[in-house]
Amino acid sequence: MTTQNAINWPEKYLPGTGDNFVSNEVIVQGLTAAHVWQYLTDTSTWESYYDNVADISFPQGGGPVLKDDLAFSFGTFGFPPLDAHVVEFESPAEGVPGRLSWVAGQDGPPARRLDVLHAWLVEDLPDGRVRILTQETQIGEPAAELAKQVPNPMLNGHQAWLDGLVRASSGRARV
């Protein structure tokens, strides 16, 4: 039996304690964690395989490749660009999953205030398979509004991100 790894959650963002939480996962054959990692961490590729992201910038310099402690911003889900900061970054290695997490948010009145932790885990599995897990906890009134929608736009949006990431990593064109 193979034990699969889990996201490292700071207490503030523990799943089920925020206003919206989603979890999406794919397991595919024929890719490696290292190859997927290149497309996940290079923000210059995001818009080529994921329609729900725009206006990626690095206000303090750096980028387009994410790394530990890097500040960046991006627009998604119709929100104004969110200020983001990488809080966990560990490249995949043999027996070690890749881990990427960022906090993101926007300030303002309560109806607009949003606080998010978006986490990724990319790991090689036996038999030439790779597992890609992404989970997000959101806190704030905009998050609570998203959570009320059926289906949850976050769930579908993140699935589109995973599907696009797999397509890009495998060299397949967008459908």
Side-chain angles (χ1 to χ4, degrees), residues 12-69:
K12 176 180 178 180
Y13 300 101
L14 192 63
T17 63
D19 295 304
N20 193 15
F21 172 78
V22 296
S23 179
N24 298 73
E25 175 180 46
V26 295
I27 298 176
V28 296
Q29 201 163 29
L31 293 174
T32 65
H35 192 67
V36 170
W37 193 251
Q38 293 173 353
Y39 286 90
L40 175 60
T41 59
D42 184 351
T43 63
S44 71
T45 68
W46 286 6
E47 290 182 61
S48 73
Y49 66 83
Y50 182 47
D51 292 334
N52 193 25
V53 67
D55 303 320
I56 302 166
S57 67
F58 297 85
Q60 298 172 4
V65 177
L66 298 178
K67 63 181 185 175
D68 196 32
D69 203 33

Side-chain angles (χ1 to χ4, degrees), residues 80-154:
L82 302 173
D83 295 322
H85 182 250
V86 176
V87 294
E88 183 177 33
F89 187 97
E90 182 175 359
S91 298
E94 188 169 332
V96 178
R99 293 180 180 279
L100 172 64
S101 295
W102 60 75
V103 292
Q106 62 186 28
D107 290 327
R112 292 186 40 142
R113 196 170 306 134
L114 185 63
D115 185 9
V116 170
L117 185 116
H118 191 146
W120 294 84
L121 189 138
V122 183
E123 67 180 322
D124 288 315
L125 298 175
D127 303 318
R129 299 173 300 142
V130 67
R131 174 181 178 233
I132 310 166
L133 171 66
T134 187
Q135 297 180 328
E136 181 167 315
T137 292
Q138 297 181 333
I139 302 166
E141 287 182 28
E145 290 303 313
L146 282 174
K148 290 178 189 174
Q149 297 179 39
V150 178
N152 186 323
M154 287 275 299

